[in-house]
């Protein structure tokens, strides 16, 4: 079951805003379900996905990604997928605010389907 349900209009092509939180040193994943304006499932059959986070998307900002998410389709016909980072990857992130987006595409069609901020938090306790 998706923890983020998104209504996406492919004719408008406007990304849906979703803010996320990542705890350093922990596995991270967030699931998404894409539905169309008429409430039907967005069929992702034949699509692939990519997603990265950066410290900033401003003009002149670095083009190096702070992290690249794994995008996995859990049910293409029902418009469901997840993004994830393992604990080894999240351990390398520094505290602060980042921006991210998720692109999905097939052949010549690419949509920026989700975008938003990610708050990276470092815990105060050490591992047991």
């Amino acid at each position: 079951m998706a923890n983020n349900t998104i209504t996406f209009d492919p004719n408008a092509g406007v990304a849906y805003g979703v803010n996320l939180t990542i705890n350093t040193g922990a596995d991270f994943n967030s699931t998404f379900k894409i539905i169309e304006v008429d409430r039907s499932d967005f069929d992702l059959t034949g699509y692939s996905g990519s997603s990265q986070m950066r410290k900033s998307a401003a003009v002149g900002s670095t083009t190096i990604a702070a992290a690249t998410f794994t995008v996995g389709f859990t049910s293409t016909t029902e418009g469901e997928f997840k993004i994830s980072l393992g604990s080894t990857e999240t351990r390398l992130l520094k505290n602060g605010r980042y921006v991210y987006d998720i692109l999905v595409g097939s052949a010549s069609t690419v949509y920026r389907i989700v975008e938003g901020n990610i708050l990276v938090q470092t815990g105060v306790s050490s591992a047991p």
Side-chain angles (χ1 to χ4, degrees), residues 1 11 14 17-18 38-40 42-43 67-68 73 76 80 92 97-98 100 113 121-122 125:
M1 176 147 186
N11 295 320
V14 177
V18 176
D38 67 1
R39 310 299 291 163
S40 65
F42 189 92
D43 189 352
T68 298
F73 292 91
T76 55
E80 295 179 2
L92 300 173
R97 186 188 68 81
Y98 295 77
Y100 82 104
I113 206 150
Q121 300 183 124
T122 304
S125 300

Side-chain angles (χ1 to χ4, degrees), residues 32 34 42 44-52 68-74 76 80-84 101-107 109-114:
F32 298 85
I34 310 301
F42 189 92
L44 293 167
T45 302
Y47 281 72
S48 60
S50 65
S51 180
Q52 291 185 332
T68 298
F69 295 96
T70 298
V71 179
F73 292 91
T74 53
T76 55
E80 295 179 2
F81 65 93
K82 72 176 183 175
I83 61 171
S84 59
D101 62 8
I102 303 170
L103 306 177
V104 296
S106 69
T109 302
V110 177
Y111 298 114
R112 176 174 285 112
I113 206 150
V114 179

Side-chain angles (χ1 to χ4, degrees), residues 12-34:
V14 177
Y16 193 89
V18 176
N19 295 328
L20 304 171
T21 300
I22 295 176
N23 294 304
T24 59
D27 288 333
F28 167 82
N29 70 64
S30 189
T31 57
F32 298 85
K33 178 174 180 63
I34 310 301

